[in-house]
Amino acid sequence: VREFSEVPVIMLTAKGNDMDKILGLEYGADDYITKPFGVSELISRVKAVLRRTDGAAPNNYSVGGISLDDGRRLVCAEGRQCALTYTEYELLKALVSNCGMVLSREKLMVLVWGTDFAGESRTVDVHVKTLRQKLGSCGDLIKTVRNVGYKIEMQ
């Protein structure tokens, strides 16, 4: 439960009496919206919650010998600083922040290159290969999940 304590929660519900709203907010919801509601209102409330929780996400990640300081965009592998391109950094950040989870090539393309990228999914493979080389022995933490994608995990 603690690992999700920073995730913003907006309750969308048909229960609109005062006690339900109070309980929802006291149990941890960041906002409480009752049906019916307009899409514009929902979008505005989501933006408001994201503004309030924007700085809540951790800026430092660490897996094995890899440490990533997102605020300064620094990566160290076994104590030595690694010079990564913007794309390599974003790829590593996506893997490290989802440690243990398999990310498909398609998911990585959306996370790193965005939804409007017109390249092929093999682009991910090329960047992973370069990233592994730059990380040295820590590059072994990046695992290929055959026919799916990649994950990073402790050995």
Side-chain angles (χ1 to χ4, degrees):
V1 173
R2 188 178 257 315
E3 64 187 277
F4 298 109
S5 65
E6 300 299 328
V7 176
V9 174
I10 299 174
M11 294 184 71
L12 306 176
T13 178
K15 293 187 172 195
N17 70 46
D18 286 342
M19 187 50 82
D20 290 325
K21 291 178 185 179
I22 291 168
L23 286 174
L25 293 168
E26 285 192 7
Y27 283 131
D30 295 293
D31 201 350
Y32 192 101
I33 305 172
T34 57
K35 295 179 187 177
F37 54 85
V39 175
S40 299
E41 176 188 5
L42 176 62
I43 291 170
S44 294
R45 287 177 180 260
V46 168
K47 286 180 180 178
V49 168
L50 289 175
R51 275 194 307 270
R52 287 194 308 266
T53 60
D54 188 36
N59 290 326
N60 298 316
Y61 303 93
S62 182
V63 176
I66 300 171
S67 62
L68 190 143
D69 182 339
D70 198 34
R72 297 185 305 162
R73 295 188 69 83
L74 280 175
V75 173
C76 291
E78 294 183 341
R80 90 179 153 77
Q81 191 171 334
C82 297
L84 302 181
T85 65
Y86 176 85
T87 303
E88 292 164 349
Y89 178 87
E90 291 298 320
L91 178 59
L92 181 61
K93 180 180 169 183
L95 291 167
V96 170
S97 63
N98 291 285
C99 184
M101 294 178 55
V102 178
L103 298 176
S104 69
R105 288 176 179 84
E106 293 75 21
K107 178 71 173 175
L108 286 168
M109 288 180 74
V110 169
L111 289 172
V112 177
W113 286 270
T115 55
D116 58 347
F117 181 70
E120 294 186 24
S121 64
R122 293 296 172 191
T123 301
V124 176
D125 300 338
V126 173
H127 280 82
V128 166
K129 180 181 178 186
T130 307
L131 184 57
R132 283 177 173 151
Q133 290 171 347
K134 288 186 176 183
L135 292 173
S137 62
C138 290
D140 295 340
L141 295 173
I142 302 173
K143 305 293 183 192
T144 303
V145 180
R146 195 169 178 173
N147 297 323
V148 180
Y150 297 95
K151 70 178 178 175
I152 195 164
E153 65 181 7
M154 302 282 282
Q155 289 184 341

